[in-house]
Amino acid sequence: MRSSATPSAGPNLARETALAGARELFPALDDTAVYLDSASTTQKPRPVIEAVDRYHSRQTANAGRGTYPWATTLTRELERVRARMAGFLGAQPDEVVFTGGATAGLNAVALSWALTNLRDGDEILYSPRDHGSNVYPWHHLRQLLRAFGREIRLVPYRVTALGEADIDHLAAAITPRTRLITVAHLHHVFGALTTLEELRGRIDPGIALCFDCSQSGGHLPVDVTELDADFAVFSAHKMFGTPGTGVLYCRRRRHPELTPFLPGGNSAVALDLPPSHGNAQPHGDAMLRAGAMPRLLEGGTQNIPGILALGAALDVLDGFGLDAIAAHNRALTQRLIAGLRTIPDLEFLPGPAHAPCETGYGTVSFTLPGISATDLGFVLSEYGFLVRTGAHCVPADTVGRDEDSVRVSAHVYTTVDDIDRFTERVATIATEVR
């Protein structure tokens, strides 16, 4: 029976009907479990599953290699997906690089741009409380540069109680040696949005801005031009696509500064060979920068079924509408917070629960005294509620006690009833623990 303390579903909260039929597209969902871990990976809709099956079962070939119809058709289809992704982001097709995921994309920024452009004494501003994929590459970069006799500084900035980057603290940390600011666009634990809009016009335009859009991609409209981003990464498996596929956005003005981070077949990198038969060849950096974007950063055979699945995922997202998805997740976020707020002693991590206005992007994290997050997650799973627990890939040396938490994350297939039944179960467990 629904608790009287939980607000009733009004017309703005009846998202099950606003996105009618959404759950039917996701065959893995059934009535035995409530999936609340979409920040980790989303469920896969039928068109995505069919795209992967179609590649493996009909006319399997390598793209960009052969001139026979199977190969050329695939080549055109992958470029169609690239153009679709560019439109999805507000970018140009040559600014869209297919990668092995968001982690690969961030490492590409470190190895193809920062490694060759940062000089001794240069600085990177980052948040130690971001996902490890937006922390570890910069530490690894610092170690690599030390081997070449260059020392860069990694300057941490704080996060507010709302879960956003502390803009005042970040702005105060900027110096003439700052070369890169990297942020989580939508934080994977706190569910809070950071756009750096407040910094526009206040900082040197030469400072590169990098956004980790792993959580925002497919959850709300993202326009890299509005973000003034130089780099942005996206994770396909968090936006209805398959694992092992991602996108790196590289702003055109940065293209001349890039060198390949994964040189190989199809990456259009010329060889630095000695002159032969009287034909002089260019040497050094001129050769390394000879390839055109985006192939410069796409060495080797790509994850063809993954890219095709990404195209199908974009079609599904367009069918729902990103504005409708964002409204759905905002409504569920507010309902979840309202339900959990009635539970004595439950503590919210930074995020929308602390915001002065009704906001939210489908992710809320919390702790419950008397029971560890791991144990609470296990008990919840016994009742059919699948949530993420622990430190959520925040680097171990920066994790505080408050970050060992339960994280609830929703998407279009999550319903108001799912949220209500979840909060009732947490309330029951809290009573038993007390």
Side-chain angles (χ1 to χ4, degrees):
M1 187 173 191
R2 189 166 295 167
S3 169
S4 59
T6 302
S8 61
N12 293 330
L13 293 175
R15 310 309 305 185
E16 312 98 306
T17 56
L19 292 170
R23 288 176 67 94
E24 300 303 315
L25 273 180
F26 300 87
L29 296 174
D30 55 35
D31 295 330
T32 64
V34 175
Y35 185 75
L36 296 172
D37 195 19
S38 291
S40 181
T41 194
T42 54
Q43 295 297 305
K44 313 308 171 193
R46 281 193 175 85
V48 166
I49 298 168
E50 291 166 358
V52 175
D53 179 71
R54 189 162 51 247
Y55 171 76
H56 287 298
S57 61
R58 302 194 334 236
Q59 299 185 344
T60 301
N62 205 341
R65 304 297 200 273
T67 57
Y68 54 92
W70 290 10
T72 56
T73 298
L74 273 175
T75 301
R76 288 193 299 270
E77 184 61 19
L78 263 57
E79 290 311 306
R80 185 193 73 83
V81 176
R82 191 190 306 277
R84 287 275 288 105
M85 189 69 195
F88 186 81
L89 306 177
Q92 299 300 317
D94 67 340
E95 297 176 314
V96 173
V97 178
F98 293 127
T99 69
T103 300
L106 288 163
N107 276 276
V109 176
L111 299 177
S112 68
W113 178 78
L115 185 64
T116 54
N117 284 276
L118 297 192
R119 297 293 176 257
D120 194 58
D122 284 348
E123 299 169 349
I124 294 175
L125 272 58
Y126 79 109
S127 170
R129 300 182 80 179
D130 277 356
H131 193 284
S133 294
N134 200 21
V135 175
Y136 291 132
W138 317 118
H139 285 266
H140 181 57
L141 171 69
R142 182 171 62 180
Q143 292 174 348
L144 288 175
L145 288 172
R146 279 175 178 166
F148 292 103
R150 281 177 278 165
E151 186 70 34
I152 64 169
R153 292 185 64 228
L154 301 182
V155 182
Y157 58 81
R158 293 192 297 251
V159 174
T160 70
L162 305 184
E164 304 165 356
D166 188 327
I167 297 298
D168 290 336
H169 186 253
L170 194 160
I174 295 173
T175 75
R177 300 308 302 268
T178 302
R179 294 290 177 265
L180 175 70
I181 300 173
T182 184
V183 298
H185 185 217
L186 182 60
H187 199 277
H188 70 296
V189 181
F190 306 142
L193 194 70
T194 296
T195 64
L196 299 183
E197 182 179 2
E198 302 91 335
L199 291 180
R200 289 179 200 158
R202 297 172 55 188
I203 63 173
D204 185 337
I207 297 174
L209 302 183
C210 179
F211 289 85
D212 178 2
C213 299
S214 300
Q215 298 296 334
S216 54
H219 291 76
L220 66 152
V222 178
D223 188 313
V224 291
T225 302
E226 288 183 4
L227 287 175
D228 198 26
D230 290 283
F231 306 104
V233 299
F234 298 82
S235 180
H237 77 96
K238 297 178 188 290
M239 46 193 293
F240 298 158
T242 60
T245 309
V247 165
L248 166 62
Y249 161 76
C250 292
R251 192 173 184 172
R252 274 183 177 172
R253 72 173 184 176
R254 297 294 177 183
H255 289 188
E257 303 169 2
L258 299 171
T259 55
F261 82 106
L262 192 65
N266 206 44
S267 59
V269 180
L271 297 177
D272 185 7
L273 298 175
S276 175
H277 304 293
N279 296 321
Q281 297 187 24
H283 291 272
D285 285 351
M287 296 304 294
L288 288 175
R289 300 176 193 273
M293 284 289 285
R295 289 201 302 153
L296 181 73
L297 303 185
E298 289 184 348
T301 297
Q302 295 169 312
N303 183 349
I304 297 172
I307 296 171
L308 295 173
L310 174 60
L314 294 176
D315 290 340
V316 172
L317 289 168
D318 277 350
F320 288 134
L322 286 172
D323 288 331
I325 293 172
H328 175 81
N329 286 336
R330 182 169 58 251
L332 292 183
T333 301
Q334 288 302 309
R335 190 168 189 88
L336 175 63
I337 291 170
L340 293 177
R341 227 187 266 285
T342 65
I343 301 173
D345 301 325
L346 183 143
E347 297 180 5
F348 291 102
L349 265 63
H354 303 279
C357 57
E358 291 191 353
T359 186
Y361 303 92
T363 298
V364 175
S365 298
F366 67 91
T367 60
L368 189 64
I371 183 171
S372 70
T374 301
D375 288 343
L376 179 53
F378 175 79
V379 173
L380 286 167
S381 70
E382 292 292 291
Y383 289 101
F385 298 100
L386 311 183
V387 297
R388 176 74 182 269
T389 62
H392 315 294
C393 296
V394 175
D397 56 349
T398 66
V399 173
R401 289 178 56 194
D402 62 338
E403 287 177 297
D404 183 17
S405 61
V406 173
R407 183 184 69 186
V408 181
S409 50
H411 217 303
V412 292
Y413 36 71
T414 312
T415 67
V416 168
D417 184 61
D418 292 337
I419 296 300
D420 287 348
R421 290 192 294 116
F422 173 78
T423 55
E424 288 173 6
R425 179 53 57 186
V426 175
T428 299
I429 295 171
T431 300
E432 294 171 350
V433 169
R434 288 197 302 274

